[in-house]
Each structure stands twice: as C-alpha cells, then as structure tokens.
Amino acid sequence: MRHDPLPFPPSMATRRGAALLACLFFTACGGGGSGGSSTPTPPAALAPPASTCGAGAADYMAAGDEDMAALGITCVQSVRAGKETVLQIPHGMALDKAGNTYILDRAKQVIFKLTPSGAMSVLAGSIASYGSQNGAGSAASFNFNHLSRLIVDTAGNLIVTDTCNNTLRKITPGGVVSTLAGVTELVCLRGATDTPTTDGALAQAPFDRPADIALDVNGDYLVLDQRGIRRVTPTGAVSRVTWSNDPANEWRLAQPSRIAVTGDGTLYLAEYMRIYRIAGGVATFVAGGTYGDARDGTGAAAVLKAPRALVADAAGDVYISDYDTLRKVTKAGVVTTVAGKSMAGGVRDGTGAEARFSYLGPLLLTSSGNILALDSGAPTIRTITPSGVVTTSAATPVTSASVDGKGSAARFNRREGTAADAAGNLYIADAETNVVRMVSPDGVTSVFAGNGVKGATFRRPYSVAVSPNGAVYVADGDSIFRIERGATTSVHSYQPVNSGVVDIAVDAEENVAIAGDYWVRQISPSGKVTDLLTNVGRGSALLGDGSFQPTSIAYDRPGNLYVADASSVAIYKLTKAGKLTVFAGSPGWMGDLDGPAGNAMLGFHGTVEMAFAPNGDMYLSGQGLLRKVRPDGTVSTPALAWGKPVLGGIAIGNGMLIGMTGYAVLHTPLPAD
C-alpha cells in the first residue's frame, strides 16, 4: 500500500550537516570538546570486571582466559559458540622503536597497544564510543572507518587519520589525544556534502576524508584524502603536494589511494590496480596493467588485484598488500608474489604459495627486515620474511573460518545476517561458504541448509528471517527461498527493477517484506507483490535530498513493520494500516543519546539488526553498544551480563538474547523488564 512520504523535509541533508556538526560538541552526542584533561592519566588497561557468574559456574577470569576477560565477558555461558577475539575489525597498524605495535580497530573505535611480550591494552578511546573528544586514554573518542590509518612519527607520537571526523589526531606515548589539523565534521554519513579543502595551519586547513598516511624522510606526514596528497608538518601546517605526469606514459596518476616513501624520499602510490612513482615532481607508471587474474611480470604485463597497502624496504623495493597475497615491485617495475595464493581461500601459515591470507591490510617493516602484515579478515598479525615464510602472532591467533562443532570448537566467518526461532536456535547466513548455519542453544553448530542440505543450493546467502511459525526464509543472490519441514522452495525471484535488495523479514501471516536500496515491498503467501515504501526519494546519497535508504527491516508480533533508515539515522514504524511514523531516534541527528522518542539519538555505525522481545521491546545492534527501544520509542543502553561486545547480528529466542560478533555467538537471558 502507498502512503505519505517520510515525515522529514527534502532539505534534511542540509539540516543534518549543521546539526551533526553541532552534535560533536556535546558529550551526549558521543563527541566532546577539543580540550584535554588538565592532569592526564595513563590509559587504562582492559581490566576485567568482577565476576557475576552464578554459584558453581565457571568463569573466564578464573580460567585465566585473558582474551575473554579483557572483553568484559566473564561467564562461561555468555559464549555459545566460536571464539571471541580482542580484535574485531582492525584497519590500521603502526610500530614504534621499542617494538610496540599499535592497532586501530574500527569496530571498537579504539587504538590497542600490543607489547613485544604480547600484553594488549587500550591506549586511547573507549570501546564502541564514537565522537571527537580529545583527552587522555578512555576519555578520548574517534570516528574511524575502513580508510582510517596511523603511523608513528619521529617523536614517538601516533598520528591518526580520523576519517569520519575529517581530522588528523595526535596521540602521545602516554595516550593523550589532541586534534593536530582539520575541521571536525561528520563526513561519512550518506548524503554528506563534499568538503572544500584549503591549506593553512590547524583548523584553517580542512581535509576531505583523510585516509592513508606515510612518514616523509624529513618528518612530515603525507596524507591522502579525496582531493590528493596533503603535506602536514608536526606543528600542523598543511600544504598540497602536486605533480605532473610523464607524457610518455599511457596511464597517468590522478587520485592515489595508498602511499609509501623510500629512504631517498621517492613516493610510491597505488591507484586502482596500478603502481606509480613520484620523483622530482613527476609521476611515472611503474607496474600493473589491466584487470584480470593476478599475474607476475614487468610493468604493464603484471596484474595486481586490489592494492591495499604499500611499504618500502631499505633497497627501495616496495611490498604490496594485494588482497590475499603479498607482492613485491622493484624500481624497474618487476612484480613478484612473495607469499600467498590469489583466491585460494582459507588462512594458514607456510612458505610462499603454501601460505594463505584472508584480507591483507597495512604493512610495516621491522628492524630485522621482516614484513609485519595486518590480516584484517582473520583478524590477526602475520610476519613474513623476505623469502616468503609466513607465521602468525601468538597474541592474535586466527579465529575466522567456517567450522562446525560444539562451543569453542566452532568457527565463524564474518556473517551476513542472523535470525532465531522460538526454540532459541540461531540461523546465520554464511555467504563465504554458501550455506545457512544453525547454532543450537547448547552451542552445537551445523549446516542447516545449502550445498544440497535440505535440497538447497545457494549462490550467496546474505539475509535470513524466521517466521513465528518456524519457517526459515533466505535471501540469496536474486531469489528468496523458504525452508520448512526439510524442504526448500522458491518464494520469489527479483526482476531488474527489484535489484539492490538489502534485507528481508517475515510476519506471522507469512508475508515477506523485502527492503531495497530505496524501497520496501511485501510478498504475500500467494505471491502477490505490494509496494509499501516507494515514493520517499530516489535513494542516491549524491542527491542530498534526504532520500530513504533502508539498511534493515523487522516485524513485531502484531505485524507492524520497522525500517532502519541509514539516510536519516532513525527507525520508522509502518503500521498494518499503512501509517508511517518515526519510532526511534531523531531524524537527521546522530549520536549515542538515550531518552524518550524525539530526543534520543542513534548511531548506525555498523551492521544494523532489530529483534523484538515478547514484551514488545526492540533490541538494536549497529549502534556501537547494544540499544533497547521500548514500544513508546524510549531508547536506553542496557547493562547485560555479557559485558560490552560489539554486535552485528541480534536475535531473540526462548527467553535468550543472542548476539553475533565477528567470530563468536554470545547469549544472555533477556532482562526481566
């Protein structure tokens, strides 16, 4: 059924830009002012809380499991299956002269410090707290995304690209955070407008989404943003790096995304699948030809897949994180594969092509000449010798995989979608292995459907929903399937106009809702398709018109449909009668503020999922910490026995709240209220 447009004006994007910028200066919005503590205190280690396990129950602190205790997860029964890890989604890494490794985790929004002995602590930031607060240790906050990186400068400070705050931040060895350059502005929201960039000092020099960063030979910082290369001095003065392209080259450098500096000051840069060199102000093509399978060779004859990081050694050779392989390119443009095998899958140590990586990111050169690589998809730190011998740091063991088993014997990839049935079984869409997996209440993980099980063959399952009647629905590629009583049947195949499906939900009458990029439709049990939301904008973030962009949908028990809208950062309720209202959050305002409807703020920082308790309370993931929304729209951040995990998936079944982190399934009893 059709209905009125969303209850906010077309000028929302303009309002949001000003509102969110203002929000950064209030602690309740998840941010704060630019002033630090007058008496900085050392950053707090990840100290576990006192155990709250029931009488006779074992706990992780007593068992000496430091990884679990560090996460604040104490009770054994909190982890149903898999292995919880300290690192969740790491994207940046740096190494100081003392051998300490610093890791930027965008899921947790903190900088970890890993000592040579393997001790892990938080240097700066507070778990799942987003903002722009300066200060010491946990008083500071950031707004990292997948582009954020960090380096250690000549004075031993960390220099961090706080991408979504549009600033460059400095962190002292003692963990005191300050803003070095840029103007604080939320620039990663859908509908955010382009930011003009100028040169100058400190706040007079705004960036445009600062990303990769390298230390120049003179101690300056070379920062890549959406407009090119910016040079930043240790005092915060910003200028632009320019170059001319060699007219003899067919390919010309325009918008680099990765950077490395050699000992003589030569810059190496990656743009798409090509490597360039800037020397004497002239950019020259070095290696990487057209698209195709990874191939070693010289110059344009070599094929690179997706360079994600560069680092130069003392000889001037450059190592490249090329998706799931480590490559090397010489000054002459000769490309060889040092370790890994493209598209081979899995994660394992070994030599050369026998080794396997998941998703390689930042690279560092150690004093011994080895390469330290952040394998973001594992997530772990790998060491690679120049001859290609790969080992894994004992402090960050590999936990990602698709392995069935009970409890801690099971392993999970980063999943696409979750749902639970009334008995408390959790269903997980595993797109990497093309199956739907099930985790029972006692922690047994198995394949529920796919690869022939229950007659199902999936291409890429990414969303799963369970009806109150127990039928399991799966969105896979361009189709929706229903699995019931051991049989799989097709419910719907998308037409070209239906492309861009992001999520599905099902109600007690077996109506299936489908959320697309900018619409929501419903399929009845008889197959009739009805448009629910279609006239609320064209769904393009480039339009700046407050377009509707659903990221998740869910039905409550009475059959009302809820839509999480990434454009306005709010949850909307569509009644069975077709009335659309704001349910939770304040459209156009982003933050972590609890409170009544119309006053609270939501974050939409990660994977958003919604689940309803029998009493009508909604539990909402993707907001940093888990949020609860009462039927009247009041938002709170509940304190639960499982600590403060960063959850993507959230589901409810058999009186249990079930959450999915990157590599573990957690559960805890639903609060009595």
Side-chain angles (χ1 to χ4, degrees):
M1 64 198 72
R2 295 183 180 272
H3 52 80
D4 294 333
L6 286 178
F8 54 80
S11 59
M12 176 57 67
T14 304
R15 173 187 164 216
R16 185 188 306 121
L20 291 174
L21 182 58
C23 179
L24 288 172
F25 297 97
F26 296 91
T27 303
C29 299
S34 59
S37 170
S38 59
T39 308
T41 56
L46 286 167
S51 175
T52 57
C53 298
D59 65 73
Y60 281 103
M61 284 193 299
D65 191 327
E66 295 179 356
D67 285 350
M68 298 301 297
L71 290 159
I73 299 173
T74 59
C75 298
V76 165
Q77 61 265 31
S78 291
V79 178
R80 177 183 288 192
K83 174 65 175 176
E84 183 62 292
T85 60
V86 173
L87 297 181
Q88 283 290 295
I89 310 180
H91 278 294
M93 185 171 65
L95 187 69
D96 68 14
K97 293 180 180 179
N100 298 302
T101 304
Y102 301 90
I103 307 163
L104 181 158
D105 192 312
R106 75 173 173 92
K108 295 191 170 183
Q109 291 293 305
V110 298
I111 305 291
F112 286 108
K113 178 180 179 180
L114 177 63
T115 68
S117 65
M120 183 88 79
S121 62
V122 171
L123 178 70
S126 180
I127 299 295
S129 177
Y130 290 74
S132 60
Q133 179 80 26
N134 290 324
S138 61
S141 57
F142 307 94
N143 202 343
F144 302 136
N145 75 350
H146 65 285
L147 297 175
S148 303
R149 298 292 186 270
L150 72 163
I151 58 171
V152 175
D153 70 7
T154 54
N157 300 304
L158 287 176
I159 307 299
V160 184
T161 55
D162 194 354
T163 306
C164 292
N165 277 328
N166 222 24
T167 55
L168 203 63
R169 312 287 291 278
K170 181 173 79 172
I171 309 174
T172 68
V176 179
V177 180
S178 59
T179 299
L180 178 65
V183 177
T184 301
E185 181 181 8
L186 286 179
V187 292
C188 294
L189 288 174
R190 298 189 183 191
T193 57
D194 288 337
T195 301
T197 59
T198 58
D199 297 335
L202 301 174
Q204 283 69 49
F207 294 100
D208 187 359
R209 298 168 180 83
D212 206 9
I213 182 172
L215 185 66
D216 202 358
V217 291
N218 68 348
D220 289 347
Y221 321 129
L222 298 175
V223 181
L224 300 188
D225 68 6
Q226 300 296 309
R227 306 297 179 93
I229 308 173
R230 317 290 295 281
R231 177 180 295 278
V232 184
T233 69
T235 59
V238 181
S239 58
R240 193 173 302 276
V241 176
T242 61
W243 65 89
S244 60
N245 282 289
D246 183 350
N249 287 331
E250 175 184 357
W251 292 299
R252 302 189 173 193
L253 179 66
Q255 183 58 60
S257 61
R258 311 292 181 221
I259 186 170
V261 183
T262 63
D264 62 1
T266 299
L267 306 186
Y268 279 82
L269 302 114
E271 182 182 35
Y272 300 110
M273 67 285 193
R274 301 186 182 102
I275 305 298
Y276 296 84
R277 175 174 53 239
I278 295 180
V282 178
T284 305
F285 168 76
V286 176
T290 58
Y291 293 97
D293 295 334
R295 183 174 68 237
D296 291 345
T298 301
V303 177
L304 300 170
K305 295 290 289 185
R308 298 188 64 239
L310 309 176
V311 69
D313 66 11
D317 294 330
V318 176
Y319 291 87
I320 306 167
S321 286
D322 193 19
Y323 191 72
D324 55 1
T325 59
L326 181 70
R327 317 285 292 278
K328 183 175 79 171
V329 59
T330 67
K331 295 179 181 179
V334 178
V335 176
T336 54
T337 301
V338 178
K341 185 175 181 180
S342 180
M343 308 305 291
V347 179
R348 72 186 186 206
D349 292 343
T351 301
E354 293 300 314
R356 297 287 185 271
F357 302 105
S358 175
Y359 194 46
L360 281 181
L363 302 173
L364 303 172
L365 191 68
T366 69
S367 58
S368 63
N370 293 326
I371 300 294
L372 209 61
L374 185 59
D375 195 347
S376 301
T380 190
I381 297 173
R382 320 288 294 278
T383 299
I384 307 136
T385 68
S387 61
V389 179
V390 180
T391 54
T392 300
S393 168
T396 59
V398 177
T399 57
S400 64
S402 183
V403 177
D404 294 338
K406 184 171 183 178
S408 61
R411 290 290 181 269
F412 300 95
N413 297 305
R414 299 203 67 84
R415 90 290 170 278
E416 294 290 325
T418 60
D421 62 21
N425 297 300
L426 183 72
Y427 300 87
I428 305 168
D430 190 337
E432 293 192 32
T433 57
N434 294 323
V435 299
V436 173
R437 304 174 74 191
M438 185 181 79
V439 185
S440 65
D442 61 354
V444 175
T445 302
S446 60
V447 173
F448 173 74
N451 292 339
V453 176
K454 293 184 175 60
T457 300
F458 300 126
R459 295 189 301 167
R460 190 184 182 278
Y462 58 88
S463 181
V464 60
V466 181
S467 78
N469 305 316
V472 177
Y473 291 78
V474 181
D476 171 57
D478 58 0
S479 299
I480 295 175
F481 296 97
R482 173 177 172 167
I483 306 169
E484 189 174 28
R485 299 183 182 91
T488 301
T489 56
S490 176
V491 172
H492 186 66
S493 294
Y494 312 150
Q495 301 300 318
V497 72
N498 293 352
S499 61
V501 171
V502 297
D503 196 18
I504 61 172
V506 60
D507 67 11
E509 299 173 1
E510 304 294 330
N511 293 301
V512 179
I514 308 174
D517 287 333
Y518 57 95
W519 48 262
V520 177
R521 297 188 175 99
Q522 187 182 76
I523 306 170
S524 71
S526 65
K528 180 182 177 182
V529 179
T530 304
D531 290 333
L532 298 181
L533 300 171
T534 59
N535 57 342
V536 287
R538 287 180 284 169
S540 173
L542 300 177
L543 297 176
D545 64 354
S547 299
F548 177 60
Q549 295 170 325
T551 184
S552 179
I553 55 177
Y555 282 106
D556 64 12
R557 290 176 179 245
N560 302 302
L561 182 65
Y562 295 78
V563 184
D565 174 35
S567 179
S568 63
V569 202
I571 307 293
Y572 293 87
K573 176 180 178 179
L574 179 63
T575 68
K576 297 182 72 173
K579 182 180 180 181
L580 185 70
T581 57
V582 176
F583 173 66
S586 301
W589 296 76
M590 184 177 187
D592 302 316
L593 180 64
D594 291 340
N599 187 52
M601 298 179 194
L602 302 177
F604 284 52
H605 305 298
T607 301
V608 177
E609 287 194 2
M610 298 172 280
F612 285 92
N615 67 353
D617 289 344
M618 171 194 286
Y619 287 85
L620 180 65
S621 68
Q623 314 302 306
L625 297 178
L626 186 71
R627 311 291 287 279
K628 182 173 77 171
V629 188
R630 292 191 178 277
D632 65 358
T634 300
V635 178
S636 62
T637 304
L640 301 170
W642 59 17
K644 295 183 178 181
V646 179
L647 300 172
I650 187 69
I652 292 172
N654 196 27
M656 299 295 290
L657 191 61
I658 311 166
M660 185 82 192
T661 67
Y663 308 99
V665 175
L666 313 182
H667 63 190
T668 189
L670 270 172
D673 61 347

